[in-house]
Amino acid sequence: MENFLQQLINALTLGSIYGLIAIGYTMVFGIIGMVNFAHGDVFMLAAFIALLIFLALTQLLGLASLPIAFLIVLVVAMVLTALWSWAIERVAYRPLRGSFRLAPLISAIGMSIFLSNFVQVVQGPRNKPVPPMFTDFVRLTDGPLSVALSYKQMLIMAVTAVLLVGLWFVVQKTALGRAQRACEQDRRMAALLGIDVNRTISLTFVIGAALAAVAGVLYMMYYGVVNFADGFVPGVKAFTAAVLGGIGSIPGAVIGGLLIGLIETFWSAYFSSDYKDVAAFSILAVVLIFMPSGLLGRPDVEKV
Amino acid sequence: MPLSLAHALKQAAIAGLLALGLAFPILALRSDQDMNNRLIVETRWSWAIGAALAIFALRLIGLYLQHWRANRPQSVRSNEARKDYGTPLAWAGLIILFAFPFVILSLLGPQGALKWINNYGIQILIYVMLGWGLNIVVGLAGLLDLGYVAFYAVGAYSYALLSTTYGLSFWICLPLAGLLAAFWGILLGFPVLRLRGDYLAIVTLAFGEIIRVVLINWIEFSNGSAGISSIPRVTFFGLPFTAGEGGFAALFGLEFSPIHRVMFLYFLILCLALITNVVTLRMRNLPIGRAWEALREDEIACRSLGINTVNTKLTAFALGAMFGGFAGSFFAVRQNFVSPESFTFIESATILAIVVLGGMGSQIGVAIAAVLMIGGTEVLRELDVLKAIFGEGFDPAQYRMLVFGLGMVVMMIWKPRGLISTRTPTIFHMKRRAVSSDLVKEGHA
């Protein structure tokens, strides 16, 4: 029982991170129908930016207070990653809008290869051990197998919850959100009604990247190590989450993320941690084959 | 309208400033472990400023280029027949390919030629063959496969395991490897029959990764990430390429040299690649080949016309996988070593990029793309000139994949339809002619 509870906490933590990345996939797919293959690498880039800012703050500027440093890192990483993603969209995807359907996907794959190798070249191929942060924890039960909830895990869940509420507000209540939903339904009609479609798409990339940046910061803090190759597998898993929840649906992405977190954690805990990636990839295949519209997605009807 | 210098400079300055912002932490700061494995950070402003200046210059050039292109008299794209350069180009290429090792050998001698034939000739031909194999699936049938490397792995491991466990020779294993890969092609193709476009790409990617993870973790079967070493080398139809009695050199009265084996491997992969090509070209004229191309253009119309899409898709998968399997077992016999490291997603992406860059469905285009991409990245390994410019610590090989990724993006923006963006319809009126692929509908899924 204790083990189960502990795994549940771990799973929700991991699931929150996947959910944050998955939102970026799902929003971009919803609005331009493209799998943004480089999104996982944007997440990895964010983790590196966060690490470098954190080191600069603590070592070069001598900032002692950890919470303040963390807050600054979070904000700066979000802004810079959003800028990167904006630039990527502008350079690599926008010229291909309206081109044949494989072109943006290939371009995104190229971008993904570029980003991971760029980070490898400029920051070195070795694992970067991050200085430990927020190491305290709360014991929820006493006993030989106690259940512990660490401050890190609380922070991850709290940050995720706050961001999701913020995102819900943006999408449902603001002009930008309305424009996004309109573009999702019918881009040409939205343009006729005076919506700046290109700007809306850019902002979708920006929002997705900012959320991925938060995921990157949390990932770096939680696991205490980052590597240039860390973008691919979490990226595919987050994409699985987006598909599982129904691609195009933001609540679906979050639910999918939590489910993938649960499945992966319990699979590692009770079966085999070597094959945990196989579990995630198999779910992706099974969901796409048997339930292509996911849990909350709209079924995709092809009109002739 | 002339482009004002002030405007161009302003645009370029904005791009440069943006680049400075992007470069700020990732280029200007560098983290490294010290003796206690603790990360320390140091500043490296020159890199960030250099990047910003480079982007400034590139944007300026780009603006003028764009301006020049916009003001150029437009050529009207028409449905008129284009001159078909394909056939003479193909024959010229064939002659060059057969002459290549002999020319290199006479120019550089056996020692120098070894590297050239191996690194350029064989390496590029493997990718040409893989590109042609994948071209059946992606280029002809229009099924986007991002896990092609799985079949390459099946072929390589088939030969590695069959030869080391049962002592079977390469010439028996080669067809077996092809059959096994085709079998896996059908096995993996079956569940994904209903999927199209991006979804199909992602599922095939997942399959490719599953096979790789299983190869890493199932140690009893594949020896895990350590891989399988000392795989038997290729023989000249039974004659080993060894120095002693009964070897290839002794029998033909030649002086023993490692170049014989490399030359043989070169012609072996050349023949395998050409078989792939001939089979594909012949298949295009068969009903099944026409069904593939019809499927690529419009699946619903295809079904309405009574084409069995299940069989059409599965044969494409199986045939593509079979050639991948042949190439895989060639890879194993060439390297004498296989490990899951060789079958990563990057390989699949590379092969797909070759097919798309070549202009999907164009055989000669795929070959040119393979030469450009693989040859180009191999050349980068050699460029000692760059070392002289950027200092001794500069290792061009590091930048290979970086340039490769960037190249994929640039190529897509420059020529999204690939290098050979014409289609030669298999059915034609009066005269065979090529049409621009912009006029082809293709894949609205």
Side-chain angles (χ1 to χ4, degrees):
Chain A
M1 189 59 205
E2 275 83 8
N3 189 20
F4 176 81
L5 274 178
Q6 185 66 61
Q7 297 299 345
L8 191 66
I9 292 173
N10 296 349
L12 292 177
T13 314
L14 186 62
S16 305
I17 294 178
Y18 286 154
L20 285 174
I21 311 174
I23 290 171
Y25 278 111
T26 222
M27 285 176 79
V28 167
F29 194 92
I31 203 160
I32 51 173
M34 156 197 173
V35 180
N36 181 11
F37 216 90
H39 195 60
D41 294 281
V42 168
F43 154 79
M44 177 274 302
L45 182 73
F48 265 88
I49 291 177
L51 171 67
L52 290 167
I53 300 278
F54 179 76
L55 290 175
L57 283 175
T58 50
Q59 290 181 8
L60 299 180
L61 302 177
L63 189 68
S65 161
L66 191 57
I68 294 176
F70 180 76
L71 210 65
I72 298 176
V73 165
L74 198 64
V75 172
V76 175
M78 277 172 85
V79 171
L80 286 175
T81 312
L83 197 64
W84 265 97
S85 187
W86 180 84
I88 291 169
E89 194 270 336
R90 194 64 198 262
V91 171
Y93 306 152
R94 188 178 293 182
L96 294 173
R97 207 161 293 149
S99 180
F100 89 126
R101 71 189 157 89
L102 281 187
L105 184 70
I106 303 283
S107 182
I109 292 172
M111 211 58 204
S112 157
I113 295 174
F114 167 75
L115 282 178
S116 57
N117 283 280
F118 173 70
V119 172
Q120 181 191 9
V121 165
V122 298
Q123 293 294 332
R126 292 171 66 188
N127 276 340
K128 304 277 178 192
V130 182
M133 296 174 232
F134 305 112
T135 45
D136 291 342
F137 54 86
V138 188
R139 257 179 225 288
L140 296 180
T141 60
D142 276 325
L145 278 166
S146 66
V147 179
L149 176 63
S150 69
Y151 282 14
K152 278 194 259 191
Q153 291 173 322
M154 280 193 249
L155 190 67
I156 290 175
M157 292 185 216
V159 169
T160 309
V162 170
L163 283 170
L164 291 181
V165 172
L167 182 70
W168 176 83
F169 181 79
V170 168
V171 172
Q172 295 297 330
K173 302 282 175 193
T174 62
L176 170 66
R178 272 196 300 280
Q180 271 176 342
R181 282 178 290 144
C183 290
E184 227 179 288
Q185 285 182 6
D186 191 333
R187 234 190 298 163
R188 189 177 295 172
M189 191 66 210
L192 285 175
L193 292 174
I195 291 172
D196 187 341
V197 175
N198 275 335
R199 183 170 157 271
T200 310
I201 292 172
S202 280
L203 283 172
T204 306
F205 272 86
V206 162
I207 292 174
L211 293 175
V214 175
V217 176
L218 298 174
Y219 179 90
M220 171 205 76
M221 177 196 78
Y222 188 58
Y223 286 100
V225 64
V226 287
N227 183 279
F228 74 95
D230 275 352
F232 181 65
V233 171
V236 175
K237 284 180 186 162
F239 180 74
T240 308
V243 169
L244 184 60
I247 199 145
S249 152
I250 294 173
V254 179
I255 294 170
L258 292 175
L259 278 175
I260 292 291
L262 282 169
I263 292 165
E264 186 182 328
T265 311
F266 282 99
W267 182 281
S268 315
Y270 293 106
F271 295 106
S272 138
S273 64
D274 285 343
Y275 286 99
K276 67 176 197 243
D277 291 354
V278 171
F281 291 129
S282 310
I283 293 163
L284 174 63
V286 168
V287 172
L288 275 179
I289 292 160
F290 294 106
M291 202 170 59
S293 52
L295 294 172
L296 302 180
R298 287 185 302 268
D300 184 24
V301 183
E302 189 169 343
K303 292 174 192 147
V304 185
Chain B
M1 197 183 82
L3 185 68
S4 84
L5 185 68
H7 174 73
L9 280 177
K10 195 178 143 208
Q11 288 285 314
I14 291 173
L17 275 178
L18 194 68
L20 195 64
L22 291 179
F24 156 58
I26 202 88
L27 280 180
L29 301 172
R30 156 93 195 194
S31 62
D32 234 329
Q33 279 104 322
D34 64 1
M35 302 295 275
N36 307 320
N37 209 24
R38 217 174 126 260
L39 275 186
I40 44 169
V41 68
E42 54 207 41
T43 53
R44 198 172 49 178
W45 295 107
S46 58
W47 282 42
I49 293 166
L53 288 177
I55 296 290
F56 174 80
L58 279 177
R59 180 81 183 122
L60 206 58
I61 297 169
L63 275 172
Y64 274 97
L65 215 62
Q66 215 174 12
H67 179 72
W68 173 74
R69 277 178 66 161
N71 287 4
R72 200 173 43 165
Q74 288 283 313
S75 63
V76 183
R77 179 150 289 170
S78 68
N79 205 355
E80 285 299 295
R82 299 175 162 214
K83 204 157 187 183
D84 187 12
Y85 295 110
T87 318
L89 202 63
W91 283 109
L94 206 59
I95 293 165
I96 292 173
L97 280 176
F98 273 100
F100 172 76
F102 298 109
V103 173
I104 290 288
L105 191 62
S106 61
L107 283 179
L108 297 172
Q111 287 308 319
L114 208 58
K115 192 188 87 184
W116 275 85
I117 297 175
N118 209 356
N119 288 4
Y120 291 90
I122 297 180
Q123 186 73 6
I124 290 171
L125 281 172
I126 288 181
Y127 281 92
V128 171
M129 174 161 181
L130 287 169
W132 278 340
L134 186 63
N135 201 14
I136 298 174
V137 186
V138 179
L140 295 184
L143 303 163
L144 184 52
D145 186 349
L146 269 181
Y148 192 62
V149 80
F151 309 123
Y152 189 42
V154 167
Y157 271 89
S158 301
Y159 173 60
L161 289 170
L162 287 173
S163 66
T164 51
T165 330
Y166 300 109
L168 295 181
S169 93
F170 176 72
W171 299 103
I172 296 171
C173 290
L174 185 68
L176 281 180
L179 279 179
L180 278 170
F183 170 72
W184 275 92
I186 294 173
L187 209 66
L188 297 187
F190 211 72
V192 298
L193 285 169
R194 287 197 294 164
L195 298 174
R196 259 174 286 165
D198 292 5
Y199 276 12
L200 179 67
I202 300 288
V203 171
T204 48
L205 182 158
F207 282 150
E209 283 298 299
I210 288 173
I211 287 193
R212 192 175 66 88
V213 174
V214 168
L215 284 176
I216 291 176
N217 287 308
W218 193 4
I219 300 196
E220 302 84 57
F221 173 71
S222 65
N223 202 20
S225 38
I228 301 171
S229 49
S230 59
I231 298 168
R233 285 171 184 274
V234 73
T235 56
F236 186 77
F237 307 105
L239 272 181
F241 287 94
T242 47
E245 281 293 302
F248 171 80
L251 191 82
F252 285 88
L254 297 166
E255 197 180 331
F256 172 74
S257 158
I259 196 81
H260 297 153
R261 194 170 54 82
V262 173
M263 292 271 267
F264 181 66
L265 282 174
Y266 177 87
F267 284 109
L268 179 61
I269 186 69
L270 184 57
C271 289
L272 285 172
L274 288 177
I275 290 170
T276 313
N277 183 31
V278 170
V279 169
T280 311
L281 288 179
R282 292 281 149 195
M283 290 296 258
R284 270 196 75 187
N285 292 325
L286 290 178
I288 184 72
R290 292 186 178 167
W292 287 339
E293 289 195 87
L295 188 73
R296 176 188 65 198
E297 303 301 341
D298 196 327
E299 181 166 349
I300 291 179
C302 225
R303 248 185 275 161
S304 323
L305 290 169
I307 291 172
N308 183 341
T309 51
V310 171
N311 286 353
T312 313
K313 285 183 180 180
L314 285 183
T315 43
F317 264 120
L319 209 67
M322 184 181 80
F323 289 119
F326 287 153
S329 86
F330 175 82
F331 173 80
V333 81
R334 175 200 174 205
Q335 303 283 44
N336 310 315
F337 171 71
V338 289
S339 83
E341 277 297 293
S342 314
F343 309 106
T344 53
F345 164 69
I346 297 287
E347 292 294 313
S348 289
T350 309
I351 305 165
L352 183 69
I354 287 172
V355 173
V356 174
L357 176 63
M360 303 204 319
S362 161
Q363 296 291 95
I364 188 89
V366 168
I368 296 171
V371 172
L372 278 182
M373 296 198 83
I374 305 303
T377 47
E378 288 291 322
V379 165
L380 210 61
R381 243 195 248 269
E382 312 270 323
L383 286 181
D384 288 332
V385 187
L386 292 174
K387 222 172 224 166
I389 302 172
F390 292 102
E392 258 322 294
F394 183 84
D395 179 14
Q398 257 194 322
Y399 294 81
R400 219 160 61 95
M401 291 313 289
L402 185 82
V403 172
F404 181 78
L406 211 56
M408 267 166 90
V409 176
V410 171
M411 285 295 188
M412 275 303 111
I413 293 168
W414 175 52
K415 265 186 173 305
R417 281 290 185 170
L419 294 172
I420 309 284
S421 57
T422 55
R423 288 276 162 74
T424 318
T426 38
I427 300 173
F428 44 87
H429 174 61
M430 309 285 281
K431 194 169 140 245
R432 189 183 195 96
R433 63 185 189 184
V435 295
S436 164
S437 56
D438 293 344
L439 302 165
V440 181
K441 186 179 164 201
E442 185 170 329
H444 52 99

